[in-house]
Amino acid sequence: MCMLKRTLLASAILSAMALPSVSQANENFDVAVNSDLEVIVISGSKTEKPLKDVAGSISVITQEDLDKQVTTDMSQLFKYDPSIQVSGNTGDAQNFIVRGMGGDRILMIKDGMRMNEGYGADGLNDIVGRGFIDTDILKQVEVAKGAASSLYGSDALGGIVVFTTKSASDYLDQDENFAGKIKLGYTEQGKQSNLSSTIAFKTGTLEHLLNVSKRDGEETQNFDNTKPELDIDSTSYFYNAKYNLNKNDFISFTADVWEQDVKGDTTYGLLDYFRTLAGYNIIEEKNTSTKENKSFQLRYHSESPTAFYDQLNISIYQNETTQEDVEYGQLDINANFGFPVIEIRDMWKTAVYHQETQGFLSNASLKINDTHTLGYGLDIENSESTRNEVKLYSVEGTPKAGYPQTTDKFPKTEVARAGIFINDEISLLNNRLIITPGARFDTYEMDANNALKADGEAYANFDEDHVSFNLGALYKISDTVAIFAQYGEGFKVPAYDLAYIDHDNSIYGYKVVPSDNLSPEESDSYELGLKGHIDNLFFNAAVYYNEYDKFLSTELIDIETSINPYSGQEAQVLVYQYQNIDSVTTKGIEASVRYHLNDTVSLFANAAYQDGKNDETDEYITSIMPLSGVSGVTYEGEKLSAELILNWAKRMDKVNENNVEVAGYGTLDLLTSYAFNDDVKINVSVSNLTDKRYIRYINGAGHVDSSTLSNVTEAGRSISANVHYNF
């Protein structure tokens, strides 16, 4: 199978090389400069705005970046931005960590729609991740750093990630009615082959875009290739239709269906306890994980001015996420714990997570005069979430006494959110000073549907209101240099999995019990920065300070005793509960520079420093990163472009007592692109060029034994490539 994938890729490359080349004009340097300065983002104000005019730090990955870096999975996004980390790998739960905050504290939205929340331990979502999306449909990804609840409401506590998908106009030139793209790729790390096809066409005033992507591969391995093997297959179907009512207004419909199947030969949650238990021999084990996300959106966009708006967006949407995890094991048992147990036991555990969200979204802007431009909107969203688990133990096809066992990790939870926001862009001093105050009122209800806890008491319902403020200012020192400052407030109501989780794992020595009196987490973000360019030198720098109050954390509240059902021996059980702690503080510095030596060669570097502590215990939070950065050189020729990139990180010594430090590192990546003609292009990425053994702190954080770090090393040298054919 591996040879077949390599042969397909090689054939495509050779075919492309055989095509006649057409000379391409080298981009004028001034055009490149303007392009850098005029990148359009929406995360800063919910309306399109040049990045240079946003009073805040926003990182952007464009479609060109995705192609050049041969990005095939969400975990590979922003790999060259040290202020942003993505946990997990292909086939695993994945989540963004922005300036030391991660999990559901970072709001993720796609084309305005709220994406699924995660589910897992301590808010890290290590069981069910987020971002069930194929990278081939993405036009741009933005990360706005810092609290953004004044625009986006609950969960925008530490930042937001905005995914923007493609439309037919991204492929069709003004006079074209039909175009498309075929992309074939292969990634050595994970042995993943991928094929995608995109068709864009126009019939009168109606535009269509259809993308189908297929990926087939394996797990992302560590340096020693010791991780359990997985087969990972994913398929994406994406359709966008746009009906142009006139030159200013349109209606669009988007359907996005993403599916992934993961199969492995190792079960953890089901069999780990029995691996070292005397008299228990594992005959067979396997696991499957099926993930599916379906989203649909109907949108109306208008730029026909009225008395109430100059621009208006209204949409309704539905987003549905399901993840089913099935584990199977067969045991040959010959044990005696005071009573003999001799049997061949079949064991299954099936866990299903499901979340469905419907929403109404709206935002508008209105220029009152040369000084004031108002933005305002109303959002209404409702979601329903469940997580249930079924265990079945049987012998010769007959269930054992007490099985099957069905449990809900939390009750079926319904959440209603509504928010109204307004902001004002105030232009002063001949547009050299832009001040943007904003506020949002949110109301939130979380209902457990009268479900009862194990003790017979009803789960608590949560009903919260919150007002969030934001104040940003940007002053243009010159036409190309600006300083900015921003204060933002964020909040996050307790998520269902934190408030309601009822997880009894006494056999492993712990359990988590529900909480009835949790308060919303709140944050205050302060940022001061400088950005712009002087001649050929581009720069961006920011310092920030974030305070998180009523932070949710796992606390040990009791120690119980329990009788092990297999050994009959008494054991201690640690009882945990999610509770609000006083506060957490994070702070840091970020800086990036790029210097263009000439029209074709430029040098670049960036770095990020982070610090974060629990103010109550003075312990470090494990989601901060060590001082780290990226530097390199870029060559942009007529047909050939290349980038040599040094990734580096300082040794992480900000660890808590009994936790091991993680060594620093430096690795090299090489990115190359070659355009054979206007229609055919190949991108090649070589990661870890020197085949260095190293560990990212995000994976080594919290380890108490250095011997376990070998399991979380990064992969060795690997090559990825894709070939694009535009028609």
Side-chain angles (χ1 to χ4, degrees):
M1 183 66 178
C2 179
M3 287 299 296
L4 176 60
K5 295 173 183 175
R6 292 175 185 267
T7 303
L8 287 173
L9 179 59
S11 299
I13 294 173
L14 290 172
S15 298
M17 294 177 68
L19 295 175
S21 62
V22 177
S23 177
Q24 293 182 326
N26 189 29
E27 287 187 337
N28 181 273
F29 177 71
D30 292 334
V31 174
V33 168
N34 290 332
S35 177
D36 288 339
L37 292 174
E38 299 298 332
V39 170
I40 302 298
V41 297
I42 61 173
S43 53
S45 61
K46 283 198 172 184
T47 57
E48 294 184 347
K49 192 173 183 178
L51 180 58
K52 67 182 178 65
D53 292 335
V54 176
S57 294
I58 299 177
S59 293
V60 181
I61 292 287
T62 65
Q63 178 183 345
E64 182 181 359
D65 296 325
L66 295 172
D67 290 338
K68 182 172 62 176
Q69 297 173 15
V70 196
T71 302
T72 60
D73 188 77
M74 193 183 87
S75 63
Q76 301 161 5
L77 294 172
F78 296 98
K79 63 185 295 185
Y80 300 120
D81 187 330
S83 67
I84 301 169
Q85 302 287 322
V86 181
S87 62
N89 287 304
T90 305
D92 298 335
Q94 299 175 5
N95 295 280
F96 275 85
I97 300 173
V98 181
R99 290 180 172 174
M101 279 297 116
D104 286 332
R105 294 184 176 100
I106 302 297
L107 179 63
M108 291 174 57
I109 56 180
K110 177 182 67 176
D111 295 332
M113 303 179 288
R114 174 182 289 264
M115 300 178 74
N116 71 288
E117 295 171 284
Y119 167 72
D122 203 15
L124 297 178
N125 312 321
D126 58 354
I127 298 174
V128 177
R130 308 167 74 192
F132 292 175
I133 190 171
D134 192 278
T135 57
D136 200 50
I137 68 171
L138 296 177
K139 178 180 179 180
Q140 184 164 290
V141 186
E142 306 167 31
V143 176
K145 307 167 190 177
S149 289
S150 65
L151 274 177
Y152 294 92
S154 176
D155 300 351
L157 190 77
I160 59 171
V161 181
V162 176
F163 296 89
T164 301
T165 61
K166 299 174 183 176
S167 63
S169 58
D170 296 314
Y171 292 87
L172 296 172
D173 290 334
Q174 186 172 2
D175 298 326
E176 283 187 322
N177 291 320
F178 183 82
K181 180 178 182 178
I182 295 176
K183 183 167 74 173
L184 175 66
Y186 180 76
T187 300
E188 185 179 17
Q189 175 53 234
K191 301 177 183 177
Q192 183 194 98
S193 60
N194 57 83
L195 174 65
S196 69
S197 177
T198 304
I199 297 175
F201 60 97
K202 181 166 55 177
T203 54
T205 57
L206 186 60
E207 301 176 6
H208 304 266
L209 176 75
L210 177 64
N211 173 278
V212 179
S213 298
K214 176 69 177 176
R215 303 182 187 277
D216 178 14
E218 300 177 3
E219 74 291 338
T220 303
Q221 272 293 351
N222 56 15
F223 190 86
D224 297 320
N225 294 314
T226 58
K227 293 179 67 174
E229 294 183 358
L230 298 173
D231 289 327
I232 305 171
D233 299 322
S234 62
T235 307
S236 170
Y237 306 94
F238 179 81
Y239 173 71
N240 174 268
K242 177 180 175 182
Y243 179 67
N244 295 292
L245 300 171
N246 51 55
K247 66 178 182 179
N248 296 320
D249 308 330
F250 67 80
I251 297 173
S252 67
F253 170 76
T254 302
D256 182 13
V257 178
W258 180 89
E259 301 169 343
Q260 185 180 81
D261 292 320
V262 182
K263 298 178 181 179
D265 296 324
T266 304
T267 63
Y268 291 105
L270 183 65
L271 294 182
D272 265 10
Y273 178 78
F274 302 100
R275 294 187 190 279
T276 58
L277 197 61
Y280 285 73
N281 180 44
I282 298 175
I283 301 174
E284 182 183 359
E285 57 181 317
K286 60 183 178 181
N287 68 86
T288 61
S289 179
T290 303
K291 306 170 186 177
E292 182 182 60
N293 189 84
K294 296 183 291 186
S295 63
F296 306 93
Q297 182 182 45
L298 183 64
R299 177 189 176 200
Y300 170 70
H301 174 84
S302 175
E303 294 184 23
S304 298
T306 70
F308 301 100
Y309 62 83
D310 297 320
Q311 184 180 117
L312 173 68
N313 286 293
I314 297 175
S315 67
I316 55 175
Y317 79 91
Q318 175 173 304
N319 189 58
E320 183 177 3
T321 301
T322 303
Q323 179 169 318
E324 182 181 65
D325 301 307
V326 180
E327 294 182 323
Y328 168 76
Q330 188 177 64
L331 298 177
D332 182 355
I333 306 173
N334 189 345
N336 194 323
F337 299 105
F339 54 91
V341 180
I342 302 174
E343 62 189 29
I344 301 295
R345 180 188 299 172
D346 294 297
M347 305 169 62
W348 290 267
K349 183 174 76 171
T350 301
V352 180
Y353 168 87
H354 182 262
Q355 184 176 76
E356 186 172 340
T357 302
Q358 297 87 28
F360 167 84
L361 307 171
S362 65
N363 67 276
S365 63
L366 175 65
K367 185 173 182 177
I368 304 299
N369 50 43
D370 291 340
T371 301
H372 297 276
T373 300
L374 294 180
Y376 59 93
L378 169 68
D379 301 335
I380 302 173
E381 296 174 313
N382 291 276
S383 64
E384 181 180 284
S385 307
T386 59
R387 169 75 176 187
N388 57 64
E389 182 179 280
V390 178
K391 285 185 178 180
L392 174 61
Y393 295 178
S394 70
V395 177
E396 296 182 350
T398 302
K400 291 180 68 68
Y403 290 90
Q405 297 176 352
T406 302
T407 57
D408 292 325
K409 294 303 180 183
F410 53 84
K412 183 172 88 170
T413 305
E414 296 180 5
V415 176
R417 305 178 183 89
I420 184 170
F421 68 90
I422 185 170
N423 55 65
D424 186 11
E425 183 177 295
I426 306 171
S427 299
L428 302 171
L429 304 179
N430 232 8
N431 293 327
R432 300 194 78 85
L433 175 63
I434 302 174
I435 302 174
T436 52
R440 176 173 172 131
F441 171 78
D442 281 279
T443 182
Y444 178 102
E445 295 181 1
M446 185 164 67
D447 189 349
N449 288 290
N450 300 314
L452 301 179
K453 294 183 287 188
D455 59 8
E457 294 185 6
Y459 285 93
N461 292 330
F462 293 83
D463 186 350
E464 301 285 350
D465 297 332
H466 198 276
V467 177
S468 306
F469 295 98
N470 178 277
L471 178 62
L474 182 141
Y475 178 71
K476 298 177 181 178
I477 301 173
S478 68
D479 291 340
T480 61
V481 179
I483 58 173
F484 64 89
Q486 182 175 218
Y487 165 73
E489 294 182 346
F491 84 102
K492 174 177 172 52
V493 292
Y496 51 84
D497 60 331
L498 304 187
Y500 294 148
I501 186 170
D502 193 354
H503 182 57
D504 190 346
N505 216 356
S506 297
I507 193 172
Y508 290 100
Y510 77 94
K511 66 179 180 180
V512 186
V513 297
S515 181
D516 292 332
N517 57 352
L518 297 179
S519 300
E521 297 176 296
E522 299 176 356
S523 67
D524 297 278
S525 295
Y526 305 86
E527 184 177 24
L528 180 65
L530 174 72
K531 58 184 172 181
H533 78 98
I534 299 175
D535 296 328
N536 296 350
L537 177 66
F538 291 76
F539 49 84
N540 196 331
V543 295
Y544 62 89
Y545 183 88
N546 301 325
E547 295 178 340
Y548 300 90
D549 297 321
K550 304 175 186 176
F551 202 75
L552 284 176
S553 178
T554 312
E555 301 295 315
L556 178 66
I557 63 170
D558 196 8
I559 300 178
E560 299 178 348
T561 57
S562 175
I563 304 299
N564 189 296
Y566 298 99
S567 66
Q569 297 178 351
E570 186 176 277
Q572 285 189 337
V573 177
L574 305 180
V575 182
Y576 293 94
Q577 186 181 63
Y578 288 99
Q579 296 183 354
N580 294 103
I581 63 175
D582 283 348
S583 63
V584 166
T585 299
T586 64
K587 54 190 175 183
I589 304 172
E590 298 168 4
S592 65
V593 295
R594 178 180 287 271
Y595 182 72
H596 292 266
L597 297 174
N598 50 47
D599 287 359
T600 58
V601 180
S602 61
L603 306 175
F604 62 91
N606 62 38
Y609 166 83
Q610 299 177 3
D611 193 14
K613 285 187 175 182
N614 179 326
D615 297 330
E616 187 175 327
T617 64
D618 203 38
E619 292 184 329
Y620 291 108
I621 61 174
T622 56
S623 52
I624 59 173
M625 296 296 113
L627 175 63
S628 54
V630 169
S631 58
V633 57
T634 299
Y635 170 81
E636 293 284 350
E638 293 184 0
K639 295 183 178 181
L640 175 68
S641 67
E643 247 180 307
L644 183 63
I645 303 171
L646 170 66
N647 307 278
W648 60 269
K650 182 180 177 291
R651 183 180 187 86
M652 186 53 160
D653 53 11
K654 296 179 182 179
V655 299
N656 298 317
E657 187 177 358
N658 299 324
N659 288 351
V660 299
E661 297 184 3
V662 175
Y665 61 86
T667 65
L668 285 173
D669 291 352
L670 177 63
L671 309 178
T672 59
S673 299
Y674 187 81
F676 296 96
N677 52 44
D678 288 340
D679 298 324
V680 180
K681 188 175 185 179
I682 180 173
N683 299 287
V684 179
S685 167
V686 184
S687 299
N688 196 0
L689 193 63
T690 59
D691 202 27
K692 183 178 180 61
R693 181 189 182 97
Y694 71 103
I695 299 166
R696 289 196 304 154
Y697 180 69
I698 188 177
N699 297 321
H703 282 237
V704 297
D705 186 348
S706 58
S707 65
T708 62
L709 291 177
S710 62
N711 299 324
V712 294
T713 53
E714 293 298 301
R717 179 173 50 243
S718 62
I719 301 175
S720 304
N722 58 45
V723 178
H724 304 236
Y725 172 61
N726 298 312
F727 57 89

